């Protein structure tokens, strides 16, 4: 409700005020010491009884999110927005969140709801455009699929030998 709207407004304001580059770094300061796993657990608790949320991630993605606070918070914001839209606009009751690490961090959000054709003007659309290299929403054999790719910093690429 109101907390969600305020959160979206704050994220939107921060992206505009600090720009895309600095927002990613700033996101790390908003995490309050919580691990990505804790944030994902908070998301599951928030939607408990409304939608079943399952999180799957590769070992590489988990290690990356544990080390990069900014990226972890940005991923969480995208996932939170995607789950909210799945329920609010698509009437989903099940959402699967998949994270994998290739040359980029790849997020897949799959839900059993209905496809929303016109996403222009959605705050989530702007969030995706600000934080992602690419993003796509489509119907798939598994359900409605959002695929988003986030860039890794050169330091992270070196550390993970990507």
């Amino acid at each position: 409700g109101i907390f969600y709207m305020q959160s979206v407004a704050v994220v939107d304001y921060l992206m505009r005020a600090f720009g895309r580059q600095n927002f990613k770094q700033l996101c790390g300061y908003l995490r309050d010491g919580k691990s990505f796993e804790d944030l994902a657990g908070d998301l599951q608790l928030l939607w408990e009884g409304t939608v079943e949320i399952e999180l799957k991630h590769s070992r590489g993605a988990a290690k990356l999110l544990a080390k990069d606070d900014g990226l972890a918070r940005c991923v969480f914001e995208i996932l939170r927005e995607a789950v909210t839209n799945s329920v609010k606009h698509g009437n989903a009751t099940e959402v699967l969140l998949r994270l994998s690490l290739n040359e980029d961090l790849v997020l897949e959000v799959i839900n059993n709801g209905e496809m929303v054709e016109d996403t222009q003007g959605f705050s989530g659309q702007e969030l995706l455009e600000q934080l992602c290299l690419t993003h796509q929403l489509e119907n798939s054999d598994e359900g409605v699929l959002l695929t988003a790719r986030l860039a890794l910093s050169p330091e992270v690429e070196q550390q993970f030998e990507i």
Side-chain angles (χ1 to χ4, degrees):
I2 291 174
F3 177 73
Y4 165 75
M5 296 301 288
Q6 289 172 339
S7 296
V8 170
V10 167
V11 169
D12 186 51
Y13 169 77
L14 292 173
M15 282 191 295
R16 290 176 198 275
F18 294 98
R20 182 178 179 186
Q21 296 283 338
N22 294 331
F23 177 73
K24 188 173 162 184
Q25 184 178 17
L26 180 66
C27 282
Y29 300 119
L30 302 176
R31 211 160 114 176
D32 294 332
K34 287 190 170 190
S35 70
F36 180 77
E37 295 290 332
D38 290 343
L39 292 173
D42 289 349
L43 189 63
Q44 288 171 316
L45 285 174
L46 175 69
W47 287 104
E48 190 173 23
T50 303
V51 63
E52 184 178 325
I53 300 171
E54 182 180 356
L55 175 64
K56 293 183 178 181
H57 50 71
S58 69
R59 189 176 1 195
K63 282 177 62 178
L64 172 63
L65 294 174
K67 290 183 180 278
D68 189 330
D69 287 349
L71 185 60
R73 184 59 188 199
C74 291
V75 167
F76 172 73
E77 291 299 335
I78 293 168
L79 295 179
R80 179 168 56 180
E81 182 70 18
V83 170
T84 299
N85 287 341
S86 297
V87 174
K88 183 177 175 183
H89 302 292
N91 300 311
T93 58
E94 297 174 2
V95 177
L96 170 62
L97 312 173
R98 281 195 303 229
L99 299 162
S100 59
L101 184 60
N102 299 318
E103 54 275 351
D104 306 313
L105 182 63
V106 180
L107 288 72
E108 294 178 311
V109 182
I110 304 156
N111 73 71
N112 68 343
E114 301 168 18
M115 176 78 167
V116 177
E117 296 298 331
D118 184 15
T119 60
Q120 293 301 340
F122 283 14
S123 58
Q125 184 71 21
E126 190 171 326
L127 183 70
L128 288 169
E129 289 171 8
Q130 291 290 324
L131 298 178
C132 299
L133 292 170
T134 63
H135 60 89
Q136 180 176 354
L137 183 65
E138 62 188 330
N139 278 314
S140 75
D141 292 340
E142 295 178 279
V144 178
L145 169 64
L146 169 66
T147 304
R149 296 185 184 288
L150 284 87
L152 306 178
S153 68
E155 299 82 22
V156 168
E157 287 180 2
Q158 264 187 336
Q159 184 177 7
F160 284 86
E161 297 175 1
I162 295 170

